[in-house]
Amino acid sequence: MSVTRSSPAATGRPSPLLVGWAAAAAALALLPLVYLGVRALEHGPAHAWRIVATGRTLELLARSLGLAAVVVAACLLIGVSLAWLTVRTALPGAPAWSVLATLPLAVPSYVAAFAWISTEPGLAGFAGAALALTLVSYPYVYLPVAAALRGADPAQEEAARSLGHGPLGTFRRVTLPQLRPAAAGGGLLVALYVLSDFGAVSIMRYETFTGAIFTSYRASFDRTPAAALGCVLVAMTVLLVWAEARTRGRAGHARTGGGSARPASAARLGGLRWAALGWCSAVAAAGVGFPLATLGYWLTAGRSGAWEPGRLLETAGATVAVAAAGAALTVACALPVGILAARHRGRVAHLLEQAAYAGHAVPGITVALAMVFLAVRYAGPLYQEPPLLVLCYAVLFLPVAVAATRAAVLQSPPVLEDVARSLGDSPLRALRRVTVPLAAPGIAAGAALTFVVCMKELPATLLLRPTGVDTLATRLWAETTTASYAAAAPYAAVLILIAAVPAYLLGRRRA
């Protein structure tokens, strides 16, 4: 009897170089939290408490959490339903629908918001923000749930049906509990994405914590109010992570038996076939088709849409350069952390992995403020230079690359490393010659996703970009804030086209 779920296998003591490398990455990720603590308490705890203990803070808290709750619920509905239809049913064209379900990853939230508000200005506010954020973030639920459905053994569902349970009862009693960890993890990512979003809520003119922090930063030389509000946002994030862990619990669903998992038989949709196709078409049209159609309209409408090919090409080049540098540094920092998390049990490995996720608890604008503070105080030549922006990307998106690296290393058999070491290789040499090549496809997928999110990042880029340098995101934001939608369209179109390439490859890889 065998169990498919494997646990990290210790392969001897980790290399000191590997631990030191991971510790440096973890220290980089913790910098924003150190900054928040220093800034928030700069004038004493009493002053910080007076800033946060106001009705305004409670209002921002309610608005942010309310938006996150609505978006998470909508994403769970869309993500789980699409995953079920594309993986477990005889849906016509299921591979194509799988790719279409992934492509919204290439659409930044502020591009989706721009598409909707430029067409229907009355959507400004809560409804518009919720709609835009839902349509760009449901893939964070779809991808893990689809993967869980592919990996689940259908024998348990067949046993439930043989005991008299109908399709709905089997789904509720057997399938749904197996999907709960994946759905909860995806829902957590969506909630964190919504809480840290700046672009969509700004364009939709719906104030949340990120908008209030940005306004506070711009309106005053005193950074304490912005840091204090950032601490509240971090506390909200910690509570959400704790709640997700409680929801997931310790339950697991492992397959027993030898060999590989038997694929599930595709369920026939019967009379629901057209309804399923209509649902998939509606989601794809709203998430991908509508933004592209809107951009197509604005590209050909209005004098303000006059193309500036030279400036557009320069901006696209700057965007690709900083995003590629950010992805490269992020993957380099994530590699030792992911390897330690996958191969070595122990408190040190656990603490380093948890520290690497610190940047995920802090919105981009707060990480940018931390980088500005550190550069002005200790590294003046880096201020408003590309390396500082690249470092900020590494802090923000380290968890994305760590998760991909850890999953990829777990899929490579540790016994091959043992064989290499028995032949005289050192632990570090065995990792370089055996583990990393075997995990390379998964690491490359993480690098592609990191490149996409670096390209789309807005608030940190607004604060840290070098003087006179624009990215596609900042140019788009600048034009949409003045309602110059036709002028913004070329930048949005090029941003989506570039980001669609790695997003498409990710969708094909999981299809």
Side-chain angles (χ1 to χ4, degrees):
M1 180 180 294
S2 65
V3 180
T4 58
R5 181 175 59 188
S6 63
S7 48
T11 57
R13 293 175 61 87
S15 163
L17 178 61
L18 193 68
V19 175
W21 187 1
L28 178 66
L30 288 173
L31 284 178
L33 296 183
V34 175
Y35 162 79
L36 281 178
V38 171
R39 275 299 194 186
L41 300 176
E42 192 171 24
H43 302 296
H47 180 69
W49 176 251
R50 282 194 297 271
I51 293 173
V52 300
T54 63
R56 178 63 174 159
T57 302
L58 290 176
E59 180 185 356
L60 290 171
L61 185 66
R63 292 166 71 92
S64 298
L65 289 178
L67 181 62
V70 169
V71 174
V72 168
C75 287
L76 287 173
L77 173 63
I78 296 173
V80 174
S81 63
L82 289 183
W84 174 260
L85 288 172
T86 56
V87 175
R88 285 298 184 88
T89 72
L91 181 72
W97 292 117
S98 296
V99 173
L100 286 173
T102 310
L103 282 181
L105 287 174
V107 183
S109 64
Y110 44 87
V111 171
F114 151 71
W116 287 99
I117 199 171
S118 64
T119 304
E120 182 50 62
L123 279 175
F126 178 86
L131 176 64
L133 287 169
T134 296
L135 292 175
V136 300
S137 54
Y138 77 80
Y140 291 111
V141 174
Y142 168 79
L143 288 173
V145 171
L149 282 171
R150 293 188 188 98
D153 195 329
Q156 298 180 40
E157 299 169 23
E158 294 168 356
R161 285 195 293 270
S162 70
L163 294 174
H165 294 294
L168 186 60
T170 299
F171 180 80
R172 181 173 60 86
R173 292 173 177 268
V174 179
T175 309
L176 199 56
Q178 296 183 68
L179 300 181
R180 188 176 66 179
L188 174 64
L189 288 177
V190 171
L192 296 178
Y193 183 88
V194 173
L195 289 179
S196 63
D197 178 76
F198 173 76
V201 294
S202 297
I203 291 175
M204 287 294 182
R205 296 188 289 278
Y206 183 76
E207 190 175 22
T208 59
F209 263 106
T210 51
I213 292 171
F214 187 81
T215 302
S216 175
Y217 169 79
R218 289 293 195 186
S220 173
F221 288 105
D222 184 7
R223 304 293 184 244
T224 301
L229 291 175
C231 288
V232 176
L233 196 54
V234 170
M236 290 166 52
T237 301
V238 171
L239 287 175
L240 283 174
V241 173
W242 174 83
E244 187 272 337
R246 294 279 295 180
T247 300
R248 177 166 22 100
R250 296 190 179 186
H253 300 275
R255 178 181 63 86
T256 60
S260 59
R262 175 169 54 85
S265 301
R268 297 188 177 277
L269 292 171
L272 297 176
R273 176 183 179 183
W274 295 110
L277 286 172
W279 172 243
C280 293
S281 299
V283 174
V288 180
F290 182 78
L292 293 180
T294 303
L295 291 178
Y297 168 78
W298 286 112
L299 283 171
T300 57
R303 293 183 178 178
S304 61
W307 284 63
E308 299 179 74
R311 186 173 190 178
L312 182 62
L313 184 61
E314 180 184 357
T315 305
T319 303
V320 171
V322 295
L329 179 61
T330 305
V331 172
C333 292
L335 190 62
V337 180
I339 291 173
L340 286 174
R343 287 291 188 255
H344 299 280
R345 292 187 180 273
R347 181 172 297 179
V348 173
H350 178 72
L351 288 177
L352 289 175
E353 183 186 14
Q354 293 302 309
Y357 280 81
H360 213 63
V362 185
I365 187 170
T366 303
V367 176
L369 290 174
M371 293 299 173
V372 170
F373 171 78
L374 292 170
V376 171
R377 291 285 185 93
Y378 307 108
L382 288 180
Y383 183 61
Q384 289 192 319
E385 293 295 332
L388 193 63
L389 180 58
V390 171
L391 279 174
C392 186
Y393 287 159
V395 174
L396 282 170
F397 305 122
L398 185 60
V400 175
V402 167
T405 301
R406 182 179 185 274
V409 173
L410 280 173
Q411 291 176 348
S412 62
V415 67
L416 298 181
E417 297 167 29
D418 296 334
V419 171
R421 293 181 61 190
S422 71
L423 294 175
D425 282 348
S426 66
L428 197 60
R429 184 176 174 84
L431 287 174
R432 181 174 60 84
R433 296 184 61 189
V434 178
T435 308
V436 173
L438 288 173
I443 297 173
L449 183 56
T450 305
F451 175 77
V452 171
V453 293
C454 286
M455 279 190 61
K456 299 191 300 181
E457 205 289 325
L458 177 61
T461 309
L462 281 172
L463 294 182
L464 296 178
R465 72 186 191 278
T467 303
V469 175
D470 278 314
T471 66
L472 294 168
T474 60
R475 285 299 309 163
L476 172 62
W477 187 82
E479 299 293 353
T480 53
T481 52
T482 59
S484 301
Y485 298 130
Y491 299 99
V494 173
L495 180 59
I496 289 179
L497 285 174
I498 298 174
V501 175
Y504 170 78
L505 294 176
L506 287 170
R508 284 288 301 274
R509 184 173 181 267
R510 291 167 168 81

